[in-house]
């Protein structure tokens, strides 16, 4: 009887491990995931367009130089988080940029937050 219990427990452990391994490639609803391929390209296009839009208002004129990481998360809309080196004239900074888009909103459908290493405050703009 102990042998049967051991085999059943071993089987459950192996089944659990197999289920966990197969679920690693799937995105968890509401969870963030690294963007690759076309999704990464679309996210980078959004970053550049949003930085351009920010520069037309009262915001700084940042340009993305080197993007080291892009994650995406489905929330009430889409939240992309970028680890990026930004340039503002001759000033270069390592920053975290978060862009939250809600394209169905006519007003205030895009929010950008930029927090740079060494800066006390952050840029927070919505349009």
């Amino acid at each position: 009887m102990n042998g049967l219990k051991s085999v059943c427990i071993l089987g459950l452990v192996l089944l659990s491990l197999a289920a966990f391994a197969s679920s690693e490639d799937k995105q968890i609803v509401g969870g963030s995931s690294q963007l690759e391929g076309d999704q990464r390209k679309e996210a980078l296009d959004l970053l550049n367009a949003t930085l351009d839009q920010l520069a037309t208002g009262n915001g700084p004129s940042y340009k993305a130089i080197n993007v080291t990481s892009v994650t995406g998360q489905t929330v009430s809309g889409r939240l992309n988080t970028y680890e990026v080196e930004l340039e503002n004239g001759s000033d270069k900074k390592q920053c975290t940029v978060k862009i939250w888009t809600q394209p169905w909103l006519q007003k205030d459908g895009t929010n950008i937050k930029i927090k740079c290493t060494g800066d006390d405050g952050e840029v927070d703009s919505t349009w």
Side-chain angles (χ1 to χ4, degrees), residues 3 5 27 30 43 46 51 56 66 73 83 104 106 111:
K5 284 183 184 179
Q27 182 178 354
L46 174 65
L51 290 174
T56 64
N66 182 30
Q73 180 179 7
E83 295 300 325
W104 61 89
Q106 295 295 320
N111 173 261

Side-chain angles (χ1 to χ4, degrees), residues 41-125:
K41 183 184 177 322
E42 289 173 15
L44 293 176
D45 290 345
L46 174 65
L47 173 64
N48 292 324
T50 305
L51 290 174
D52 288 346
Q53 179 69 29
L54 179 66
T56 64
N58 294 331
S61 297
Y62 284 129
K63 295 292 179 196
I65 299 173
N66 182 30
V67 179
T68 57
S69 172
V70 183
T71 60
Q73 180 179 7
T74 301
V75 289
S76 175
R78 185 78 180 160
L79 176 63
N80 289 338
T81 303
Y82 308 81
E83 295 300 325
V84 60
E85 184 178 5
L86 295 178
E87 179 181 65
N88 187 5
S90 62
D91 189 23
K92 295 179 183 178
K93 300 178 179 186
Q94 191 62 38
C95 305
T96 299
V97 177
K98 295 185 177 194
I99 301 174
W100 180 24
T101 57
Q102 297 174 301
W104 61 89
L105 295 178
Q106 295 295 320
K107 182 180 175 195
D108 297 338
T110 300
N111 173 261
I112 183 170
K113 292 183 181 181
I114 303 172
K115 176 69 176 152
C116 298
T117 304
D119 288 355
D120 291 333
E122 77 175 0
V123 173
D124 187 349
S125 186

